[in-house]
Amino acid sequence: EPAMVFIYVLPKHIWEGVDDPVAFENEEMIGSGPFKLKEASQGEFVDLAANKEYWKTPANVDEVIFQVIDNDDARVRALTNGQVDAITDVPDTAIPTLQHSDNVHVQIADVGAGGSLSDIFFNVVSDENCPEDDGSGQPAVCSGHPALKDLAVRQALAHATDKQQLLTIGTGGLGTPGLSLVPPGLGAFFASDVTDYEFNADTARGMLDAAGYKDTDGDGKADRTRVVLAGDGIRECLPTQDCDDLTMRLNYPNDSTSGPRESDLLKSMWGDVGVNLVVQPLAPDTLTSVCCPTFDYDVIMWGWGSDPDPAFLLGVAICDEIDSGFSESGYCNPAYDDLYDAQAVATNTDERVDLIHQMQQILIDDVPYIIPYYYPYIGAWRTDTFTGWLENDPTLGLEDQSNLLQLRPAQ
């Protein structure tokens, strides 16, 4: 049942003649839902009118307007002054203000029916798996730092990452420490018992030492053109690798409010064990273009929102998705793929849960991803205009489409 949550009923007479469903723009927004598109302006608003002929119970409201307010402070002011009735993307710094505002309710939940996560992922695509087409007819770049293909380096960086500090910066301490690609909101599918990496800089240094990454020339301290915050300086690559030292690119989306502080923290933590990060924020579209299937990056800090079924996010790590652009890391492990195929046809729930737990442990062992934290669900809405907002369900406010059917005027 959870896997069908995003499967919609569509009119056959409209879609049956469409040769390319992906290219079909569906400009009239033909569907079977409780609302119809009335008007929309890219980046400004979407105006929905209630579908009075909806086949099930119709909405109690006549119209819903989703207004885009990019600025955090402006979004909060719009709620407190009554310009809007509810907001999503509530900044954690505004929570105390909202909690003390008249006629405003703030709801915080640790998990949801799905969930969202912060991730740090590595470019680990192999030479043989580098896509022949980057989506524009050109071969992919596949310029990832050679040392990231070394499992010991990735595991060391996992030990060098203080997830609690990143969580504090990214969520104001309201999130949950990360573990795997499956968020806690997916219930039994979340493998809370898998083994993670303890934050320990000494362990990370020891692993890099044992793997042969040394700072023999001391250039990490002597070269004033480099930025090294702490530790032994920048470690050098192995003689077999086509690189000079462990200086790596770190990219993140420039629309991330906490991105600058999180990237500075990560640079400090990894610099402390001898890995230097050159940080560059990019516009989301640009970040996507360098990511996949171009693979023209070293490390990216971004995030995911999950479906209610774990197969969606776990699918980003299968070999077949490297060419499609769905795979962010270029990770490929046939044993993982076998488990993915097996869970897809498992008819026993306990069996499927076990397979999905095994997959999560493999991803943690192989470290194509580090998951710093899971985002909390935070919603805020006015109590004097409409009632019916979801409060008890972990999927809050407008995170759940069914909310629009439950809302009714407060008077």
Side-chain angles (χ1 to χ4, degrees):
E1 291 182 4
M4 296 183 67
V5 72
F6 294 129
I7 297 177
Y8 302 100
V9 177
L10 297 171
K12 181 179 179 180
H13 69 284
I14 297 294
W15 286 86
E16 65 181 346
V18 176
D19 294 329
D20 187 352
V22 176
F24 180 47
E25 296 182 2
N26 193 25
E27 293 179 348
E28 297 183 34
M29 299 295 287
I30 299 167
S32 59
F35 290 89
K36 296 180 179 181
L37 178 64
K38 180 178 178 181
E39 187 180 359
S41 178
Q42 182 69 31
E44 295 183 4
F45 68 90
V46 175
D47 189 350
L48 304 178
N51 178 6
K52 301 301 183 182
E53 299 177 356
Y54 182 50
W55 62 277
K56 203 175 180 182
T57 304
N60 298 305
V61 296
D62 296 324
E63 194 172 359
V64 178
I65 301 174
F66 291 88
Q67 183 176 346
V68 178
I69 305 176
D70 291 326
N71 181 272
D72 287 346
D73 292 337
R75 192 161 56 250
V76 171
R77 285 196 303 271
L79 180 67
T80 56
N81 66 22
Q83 179 186 345
V84 299
D85 301 296
I87 62 173
T88 58
D89 295 329
V90 179
D92 59 85
T93 53
I95 290 176
T97 298
L98 290 173
Q99 288 175 328
H100 291 88
S101 297
D102 293 337
N103 301 315
V104 171
H105 176 77
V106 179
Q107 188 79 14
I108 303 172
D110 290 333
V111 298
S116 299
L117 56 88
S118 165
D119 63 8
I120 299 165
F121 55 93
F122 302 108
N123 184 349
V124 298
V125 68
S126 64
D127 293 339
E128 56 269 25
N129 286 337
C130 183
E132 296 181 0
D133 188 341
D134 65 356
S136 66
Q138 299 296 319
V141 177
C142 299
S143 63
H145 196 289
L148 289 175
K149 297 178 183 178
D150 187 340
L151 177 59
V153 171
R154 303 196 302 274
Q155 290 180 332
L157 292 176
H159 278 296
T161 304
D162 187 342
K163 294 182 177 181
Q164 188 59 51
Q165 286 196 55
L166 291 171
L167 183 157
T168 299
I169 291 176
T171 72
L174 298 173
T176 304
L179 190 59
S180 76
L181 278 174
V182 177
L186 270 63
F189 292 118
F190 172 63
S192 60
D193 56 341
V194 298
T195 304
D196 197 9
Y197 296 87
E198 176 192 12
F199 168 59
N200 191 311
D202 288 336
T203 299
R205 294 188 195 101
M207 292 180 70
L208 291 170
D209 286 340
Y213 296 92
K214 310 288 186 179
D215 181 28
T216 58
D217 60 11
D219 67 355
K221 293 181 177 179
D223 187 345
R224 294 178 180 271
T225 66
R226 299 180 185 271
V227 179
V228 178
L229 300 179
D232 300 328
I234 305 172
R235 296 174 184 268
E236 296 152 22
C237 294
L238 303 181
T240 56
Q241 296 171 340
D242 185 19
C243 52
D244 295 326
D245 61 25
L246 300 192
T247 294
M248 302 175 183
R249 300 164 291 176
L250 172 66
N251 303 117
Y252 68 88
N254 63 6
D255 61 353
S256 169
T257 304
S258 62
R261 290 176 295 160
E262 289 189 71
S263 61
D264 284 347
L265 180 58
L266 196 64
K267 180 180 178 69
S268 175
M269 290 186 295
W270 289 8
D272 191 39
V273 302
V275 177
N276 183 41
L277 290 177
V278 178
V279 180
Q280 182 183 16
L282 297 174
D285 287 346
T286 304
L287 191 56
T288 299
S289 69
V290 302
C291 166
C292 26
T294 308
F295 296 106
D296 187 15
Y297 75 92
D298 296 327
V299 186
I300 290 179
M301 184 172 62
W302 212 342
W304 273 104
S306 174
D307 276 11
D309 190 272
F312 168 67
L313 272 185
L314 292 174
V316 304
I318 62 177
C319 303
D320 285 347
E321 299 295 353
I322 294 176
D323 288 335
S324 75
F326 188 46
S327 170
E328 302 171 291
S329 64
Y331 175 77
C332 181
N333 182 340
Y336 178 89
D337 285 15
D338 288 343
L339 290 171
Y340 188 85
D341 292 341
Q343 66 80 32
V345 297
T347 56
N348 179 277
T349 300
D350 290 340
E351 177 189 358
R352 186 172 185 236
V353 166
D354 179 64
L355 293 168
I356 287 172
H357 281 212
Q358 292 180 53
M359 294 169 68
Q360 291 173 73
Q361 186 66 69
I362 288 177
L363 290 181
I364 289 177
D365 291 343
D366 289 352
V367 207
Y369 286 86
I370 296 174
I371 310 298
Y373 55 83
Y374 303 108
Y375 289 96
Y377 279 84
I378 307 174
W381 49 81
R382 297 194 64 86
T383 58
D384 59 344
T385 55
F386 292 92
T387 61
W389 300 101
L390 288 178
E391 297 183 25
N392 297 322
D393 191 296
T395 303
L396 303 173
L398 291 174
E399 301 284 351
D400 191 326
Q401 302 161 22
S402 65
N403 223 319
L404 299 180
L405 298 179
Q406 299 184 168
L407 292 179
R408 62 182 65 248
Q411 289 80 17

